[in-house]
């Protein structure tokens, strides 16, 4: 593992599985748990943790299937339940009772599930997966097909998966892990210093590739585009067949919520070019059955709807948009994002 930034330390916690994590700040500080998303690790938060805060104790675990955490299978039929249970076990072993939770992308669903199990100080959704999962739903969350065809591991780009499996570090092809990272993780106008880009690429290449990790297994379908989610692996866990946090307004008690969104996000968007409804409508994936059957998924609108209902149910929900940011405003607008997040944690 390459040298960490000043004030950041690495360690492991023997929880439900052995979890590798980064920490910074005082041992008795208010705990802030930074949970990464798909194809990333805790190091994608490291720059926010250095120099260490005087008030907050930052913790950034590598989640199941990624980084240096003990390899373990993902049961997709539980949605992000494995991640949530791992986090609860991790918090228990560390003696953390009411953490601030940050969930980037995939982890948005996981931190919601944690809040369903135990009290938390706050929830910060950082460009989270839609409350109705990823791909194959109508605006109200209804599945396009009964078998949820068009979502899950079966629609993953196999060329990209092969590049991950090979450990490709080049930038020669559009679907190399490096180019996918720089083209989708943050604004395309933003570029990290080369050394940092190389480091984070190495973190992505630690991912567990296969049926139990990324992307997962799949099944065939008579519905368009011919594949439906299987029962193992991360992309199936994100399918609307299993992933759901639209129940958030029912939480009791209701922690304060902050949603931060990069409006140039190409991953979580109304009409994401990574989602089959949009790709079919654009003619990139042939045979699209039309918008009445399989519309582009309005992910941002679905998030907004759930948070509006959260407020109507008595919760406090704040939204901050980052107009020049992509899927990771904590990276491409780090200073502003951390300032807003710190103010939110302090007021929670």
């Amino acid at each position: 593992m390459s040298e960490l930034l000043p004030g950041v330390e690495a360690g492991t916690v023997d929880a439900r599985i052995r979890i590798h994590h980064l920490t910074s700040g005082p041992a008795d500080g208010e705990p802030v748990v930074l949970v990464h998303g798909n194809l990333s690790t805790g190091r994608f938060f490291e720059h926010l943790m250095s120099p260490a805060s005087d008030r907050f104790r930052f913790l950034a675990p590598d989640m199941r299937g990624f980084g240096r955490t003990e390899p373990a299978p993902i049961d997709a039929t539980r949605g992000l339940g494995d991640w949530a249970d791992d986090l609860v076990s991790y918090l228990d072993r560390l003696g953390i009772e009411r953490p601030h939770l940050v969930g980037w992308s995939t982890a948005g669903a996981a931190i919601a599930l944690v809040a369903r199990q135990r009290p938390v100080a706050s929830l910060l959704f950082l460009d989270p997966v839609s409350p109705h999962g990823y791909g194959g739903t109508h605006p109200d969350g209804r599945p396009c097909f009964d078998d949820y065809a068009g979502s899950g591991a079966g629609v993953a780009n196999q060329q990209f998966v092969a590049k991950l499996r090979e450990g490709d570090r080049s930038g020669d092809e559009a679907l190399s892990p490096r180019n996918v990272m720089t083209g989708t993780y943050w604004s395309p106008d933003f570029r990290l210093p080369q050394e940092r880009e190389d480091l984070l690429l190495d973190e992505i290449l630690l991912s567990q590739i296969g049926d139990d990790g990324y992307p997962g297994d799949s099944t065939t379908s008579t519905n368009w585009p011919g594949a439906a989610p299987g029962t193992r692996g991360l992309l199936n866990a994100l399918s609307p067949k299993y992933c759901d946090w639209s129940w958030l307004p029912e939480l009791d008690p209701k922690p304060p919520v902050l949603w931060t969104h990069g409006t140039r996000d190409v991953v979580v968007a109304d009409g994401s070019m990574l989602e089959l409804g949009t790709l079919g409508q654009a003619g990139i994936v042939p045979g699209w059955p039309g918008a009445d059957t399989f519309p582009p998924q309005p992910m941002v609108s679905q998030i907004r709807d759930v948070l509006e209902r959260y407020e109507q149910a008595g919760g406090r929900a704040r939204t901050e948009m980052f107009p020049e940011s992509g899927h990771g405003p904590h990276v491409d607008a780090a200073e502003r994002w951390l300032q807003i997040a710190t103010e939110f944690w302090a007021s929670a």
Side-chain angles (χ1 to χ4, degrees):
M1 184 175 183
S2 58
E3 184 177 353
L4 295 167
L5 296 175
V8 181
E9 298 179 349
T12 59
V13 177
D14 288 324
R16 187 166 174 251
I17 58 174
R18 188 179 65 258
I19 293 177
H20 176 273
H21 70 164
L22 303 181
T23 61
S24 72
D28 60 351
E30 290 182 46
V32 177
V33 183
L34 307 161
V35 190
H36 67 81
N38 186 13
L39 294 172
S40 55
T41 71
R43 292 205 82 167
F44 281 75
F45 291 109
E46 182 187 6
H47 61 289
L48 304 176
M49 303 167 67
S50 174
S53 167
D54 292 331
R55 173 170 178 173
F56 298 104
R57 178 189 183 192
F58 290 115
L59 306 100
D62 291 351
M63 298 308 296
R64 177 182 294 240
F66 299 100
R68 294 168 179 81
T69 283
E70 175 187 354
I74 296 171
D75 179 355
T77 66
R78 306 187 66 232
L80 273 294
D82 278 338
W83 274 27
D85 288 353
D86 290 346
L87 284 168
V88 168
S89 175
Y90 169 78
L91 295 170
D92 287 346
R93 288 304 299 264
L94 291 171
I96 295 174
E97 295 183 355
R98 291 186 71 253
H100 300 282
L101 297 180
V102 177
W104 181 27
S105 195
T106 293
I111 65 168
L113 289 168
V114 172
R116 210 177 193 181
Q117 295 187 47
R118 58 181 296 158
V120 299
S122 69
L123 294 172
L124 197 162
F125 294 107
L126 172 53
D127 284 297
V129 62
S130 165
H132 301 292
Y134 202 93
T137 70
H138 292 274
D140 61 3
R142 288 179 297 114
C144 296
F145 298 115
D146 290 343
D147 65 353
Y148 295 84
S151 68
V155 298
N157 188 292
Q158 293 306 308
Q159 183 181 349
F160 174 57
V161 175
K163 293 290 184 184
L164 287 169
R165 186 175 283 111
E166 294 165 6
D168 182 2
R169 301 185 77 260
S170 74
D172 298 337
E173 299 182 26
L175 289 173
S176 71
R178 182 185 298 275
N179 287 335
V180 169
M181 177 179 72
T182 59
T184 65
Y185 282 40
W186 35 76
S187 166
D189 297 333
F190 176 81
R191 201 72 188 237
L192 288 166
Q194 190 65 52
E195 182 180 359
R196 195 69 188 170
E197 179 181 300
D198 290 345
L199 183 152
L200 294 182
L201 174 62
D202 288 342
E203 294 293 299
I204 291 173
L205 294 177
L206 294 172
S207 302
Q208 182 179 335
I209 307 301
D211 287 351
D212 286 322
Y214 181 93
D217 66 340
S218 65
T219 60
T220 59
S221 173
T222 57
N223 296 312
W224 183 83
T231 61
R232 301 154 62 194
L234 189 71
L235 291 192
N236 293 318
L238 288 169
S239 164
K241 184 173 184 178
Y242 310 118
C243 178
D244 175 66
W245 56 277
S246 63
W247 43 260
L248 193 77
E250 302 167 11
L251 271 184
D252 185 22
K254 290 180 171 58
V257 166
L258 172 62
W259 170 34
T260 60
H261 176 65
T263 60
R264 300 182 68 187
D265 189 351
V266 298
V267 179
V268 174
D270 287 353
S272 168
M273 289 301 291
L274 303 183
E275 187 268 329
L276 265 290
T278 304
L279 293 173
Q281 187 178 60
I284 296 171
V285 178
W288 182 57
D292 289 342
T293 300
F294 202 117
Q297 185 183 4
M299 304 176 193
V300 172
S301 299
Q302 289 173 335
I303 295 168
R304 184 177 289 112
D305 175 69
V306 166
L307 295 186
E308 286 177 353
R309 290 193 289 109
Y310 189 79
E311 287 190 292
Q312 293 166 4
R316 175 161 64 95
R318 172 183 168 189
T319 297
E320 288 288 344
M321 294 290 169
F322 290 75
E324 301 304 318
S325 289
H327 191 52
H330 66 299
V331 177
D332 63 18
E335 185 175 349
R336 179 181 172 228
W337 187 90
L338 185 59
Q339 179 182 358
I340 288 171
T342 301
E343 291 171 354
F344 169 68
W345 298 323
S347 66

